[in-house]
């Protein structure tokens, strides 16, 4: 996949087909982008599992926080990554060991690691990088 250009159809399909999202790097601080995006996704009807080891067992926006992806008690369709680019590879390692494996890893604005993307794709995971679902959702007028 060309990770510098995504089609509107691919983005629309992912955001339409996704129902459950693990949000890695979730923050309880309402000033942080991850908090705002999580709030947006919840408002659109997605089930969101915040992942942040520093807040394990607490709640963010009424959702229980998990330390790592493997701790989430049910399958997720998408992993939304709010971590710096240098951490995307380790997140992808967690993703490829999940069972069932998420269909999509979505790296937020400014987050890119082409090697991590290639690894995920090798294991059948679709990868979107340097995009924000809370921006793409309204831009594409997704009706959720």
């Amino acid at each position: 996949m060309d990770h510098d250009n995504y089609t509107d159809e691919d983005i629309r399909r992912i955001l339409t087909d996704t129902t459950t999202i693990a949000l890695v790097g979730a923050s309880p601080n309402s000033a942080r982008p991850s908090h705002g995006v999580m709030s947006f996704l919840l408002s659109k009807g997605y089930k969101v599992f915040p992942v942040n080891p520093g807040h394990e067992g607490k709640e963010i926006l009424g959702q229980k926080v998990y330390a790592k992806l493997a701790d989430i008690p049910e399958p997720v369709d998408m992993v939304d990554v709010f971590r710096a680019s240098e951490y995307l590879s380790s997140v992808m390692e967690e993703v490829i060991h999940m069972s069932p494996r998420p269909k999509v890893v979505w790296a937020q604005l400014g987050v890119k690691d082409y090697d991590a993307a290639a690894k995920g794709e090798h294991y059948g995971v679709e990868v979107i990088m340097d995009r924000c679902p809370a921006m793409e959702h309204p831009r594409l007028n997704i009706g959720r």
Side-chain angles (χ1 to χ4, degrees):
M1 178 175 271
D2 176 3
H3 290 290
D4 294 315
N5 298 290
Y6 302 104
T7 67
D8 287 351
E9 292 76 23
D10 284 338
I11 299 292
R12 180 178 284 106
R13 174 184 45 78
I14 290 167
L15 294 175
T16 300
D17 293 350
T18 294
T19 59
T20 55
I21 300 171
L23 200 144
V24 176
S27 174
N29 180 344
S30 62
R32 302 288 300 180
S34 64
H35 189 90
V37 170
M38 183 175 166
S39 178
F40 175 84
L41 294 170
L42 287 167
S43 78
K44 294 301 179 186
Y46 295 100
K47 186 171 190 177
V48 182
F49 297 95
V51 178
N52 184 324
H55 297 283
E56 178 184 11
K58 299 176 185 171
E59 287 190 359
I60 298 175
L61 296 167
Q63 309 304 306
K64 180 181 175 185
V65 180
Y66 297 91
K68 57 188 184 285
L69 291 170
D71 295 339
I72 297 172
E74 63 185 77
V76 296
D77 299 318
M78 181 170 91
V79 175
D80 189 3
V81 183
F82 276 91
R83 298 286 320 272
S85 296
E86 62 261 27
Y87 298 106
L88 190 54
S89 180
S90 63
V91 172
M92 193 64 73
E93 278 295 320
E94 284 188 72
V95 166
I96 63 174
H97 289 98
M98 293 172 75
S99 181
R101 197 172 289 133
K103 297 175 192 129
V104 178
V105 169
W106 187 301
Q108 281 292 328
L109 294 173
V111 180
K112 281 189 172 188
D113 179 334
Y114 294 101
D115 291 337
K119 184 169 193 168
E121 289 167 342
H122 174 77
Y123 285 93
V125 177
E126 193 167 6
V127 180
I128 302 293
M129 297 189 294
D130 195 27
R131 296 283 183 107
C132 178
M135 295 170 73
E136 297 297 322
H137 205 281
R139 182 181 74 79
L140 296 172
N141 195 29
I142 295 171
R144 300 182 66 113

